[in-house]
Amino acid sequence: MGCDGGTIPKRHELVKGPKKIEKVDKNAELAAKWKYCALSQEKLRRPIVSCELGRLYNKDAIIEYLLDKSAERPNAEAVAHIRGIKDIKELNLTDNPEWEGERRNTKGDRYEDIHCGMFICPVVGLEMNGKHRFCYLQTCGCVFSDRALKEVKTEICHKCGDPFKDEDIVVLNGNKEEVDKLREKMEEKRAKAKTKKSKKSKATETVSTSESKDGTVSPPNDIAGTSLQQNGGDSSQQSGLTTYIFNQSILLVAEGRMKQKDNLLRTMEEESVLLLSGDEVDKGQTSE
């Protein structure tokens, strides 16, 4: 039954102690954020997109989620803030020439560096592997390291030349504090867009009601003018002003046609009177 033949058991073999908690390798977890999709947990492959919180996704995984949001997914909370395709931006990434990808030896007899990134910064050449802070621009989708944006300060994209502002910079895979700031920024931006949309709908409703009551197009001084002053010349109010001018031109054309018709009738009546008077004169001359 054991312990024969001079075998001496040790204490940990006889007494069962508490199980050791397995610690997660922080470096491996950090590297996985830059190589795997935050939704499907599959390897990142082009086209790669990012949300307003700076998370990385495969574009096909996001499209599948938007087509069927009712399906159960393990990381559905990672995309709960994505309402449509407008809430994501396709990234313009620069490939790392040292990344071998599927070409590397898969037999297991070769060391694989988990910190070797698939992409690099096009300005300073830093690898996008989690060790360095990276950002992308919401205007064009180009990705740069934070060091490049700080060292080469400009308001034009280093890669494509499109202009951008400081509020267009989004940190990729940031820490908790950075994600909270990005979330506040996202909610504030959506609230402004919602109020702007409600003002536009109210303006169109008031214009339609005034037209239905008066039977004519109301001048834009009361509605469109005030809203233009409030919104600083919004494009929606410009379209309303264009509609007003178009309707007024139609009315003027209609009035002009009515005047032309009246003038034509008057000339016809005058000509008929002249013809009748001429006939009577001819008859008088023949009778004489």
Side-chain angles (χ1 to χ4, degrees):
M1 298 298 291
C3 296
D4 53 350
T7 303
I8 300 174
K10 296 181 180 180
R11 184 178 182 279
H12 71 273
E13 296 177 351
L14 299 175
V15 180
K16 292 183 178 180
K19 293 183 179 180
K20 293 182 179 180
I21 300 174
E22 295 182 358
K23 294 182 180 180
V24 180
D25 188 359
K26 293 183 178 180
N27 293 328
E29 185 181 5
L30 184 62
K33 289 183 178 181
W34 299 90
K35 293 183 179 180
Y36 294 90
C37 174
L39 176 60
S40 63
Q41 296 300 312
E42 297 178 354
K43 286 187 177 181
L44 289 172
R45 58 184 181 275
R46 293 179 185 272
I48 299 173
V49 297
S50 180
C51 61
E52 294 174 300
L53 300 182
R55 294 168 183 164
L56 299 175
Y57 311 93
N58 288 325
K59 191 173 182 179
D60 54 354
I62 294 295
I63 292 174
E64 291 177 2
Y65 164 75
L66 294 175
L67 292 174
D68 186 13
K69 293 184 179 181
S70 60
E72 294 183 359
R73 292 177 177 84
N75 296 322
E77 67 277 1
V79 291
H81 61 285
I82 298 178
R83 304 167 299 178
I85 201 72
K86 293 182 179 180
D87 293 336
I88 59 175
K89 184 70 177 180
E90 186 171 344
L91 301 181
N92 186 9
L93 297 161
T94 305
D95 294 327
N96 184 5
E98 296 181 0
W99 172 256
E100 297 181 358
E102 300 297 334
R103 297 174 296 172
R104 67 180 183 273
N105 191 358
T106 58
K107 294 181 179 179
D109 56 351
R110 183 178 177 183
Y111 172 72
E112 181 181 356
D113 187 7
I114 61 173
H115 296 295
C116 182
M118 295 186 292
F119 309 103
I120 60 172
C121 174
V123 179
V124 295
L126 294 176
E127 293 185 0
M128 198 172 74
N129 54 9
K131 289 185 176 181
H132 309 284
R133 195 165 177 258
F134 271 74
C135 310
Y136 82 93
L137 306 179
Q138 286 185 323
T139 53
C140 57
C142 295
V143 179
F144 302 98
S145 63
D146 186 59
R147 185 187 299 181
L149 294 176
K150 287 181 178 179
E151 290 181 357
V152 187
K153 294 183 178 180
T154 180
E155 295 181 354
I156 299 175
C157 177
H158 302 301
K159 193 170 184 180
C160 64
D162 290 345
F164 70 92
K165 299 179 181 178
D166 292 338
E167 54 266 21
D168 297 328
I169 300 174
V170 178
V171 180
L172 290 171
N173 287 329
N175 53 30
K176 187 178 180 182
E177 294 179 357
E178 292 171 342
V179 172
D180 291 340
K181 289 182 181 179
L182 290 174
R183 191 181 295 276
E184 291 178 0
K185 179 182 174 182
M186 178 187 68
E187 292 175 353
E188 183 180 356
K189 183 179 178 182
R190 291 182 179 180
K192 288 182 179 179
K194 190 174 181 181
T195 53
K196 187 177 180 181
K197 189 176 180 181
S198 62
K199 286 181 180 179
K200 182 179 177 181
S201 61
K202 286 180 181 178
T204 53
E205 286 178 2
T206 50
V207 169
S208 60
T209 51
S210 61
E211 289 179 358
S212 61
K213 287 181 181 179
D214 300 336
T216 57
V217 180
S218 59
N221 296 328
D222 297 332
I223 299 163
T226 54
S227 57
L228 279 170
Q229 293 175 358
Q230 293 174 358
N231 300 331
D234 192 24
S235 60
S236 61
Q237 302 301 332
Q238 291 178 1
S239 62
L241 183 60
T242 306
T243 306
Y244 168 77
I245 295 171
F246 179 73
N247 292 331
Q248 289 293 333
S249 62
I250 292 174
L251 291 175
L252 291 173
V253 170
E255 291 177 359
R257 289 181 179 176
M258 291 297 293
K259 289 180 180 179
Q260 291 178 359
K261 187 177 179 181
D262 293 338
N263 293 332
L264 183 61
L265 290 173
R266 288 176 183 174
T267 54
M268 290 176 66
E269 289 178 357
E270 290 176 358
E271 289 178 358
S272 61
V273 170
L274 291 173
L275 289 172
L276 290 172
S277 60
D279 292 338
E280 290 179 355
V281 171
D282 294 337
K283 287 179 181 180
Q285 289 177 358
T286 53
S287 61
E288 290 175 359

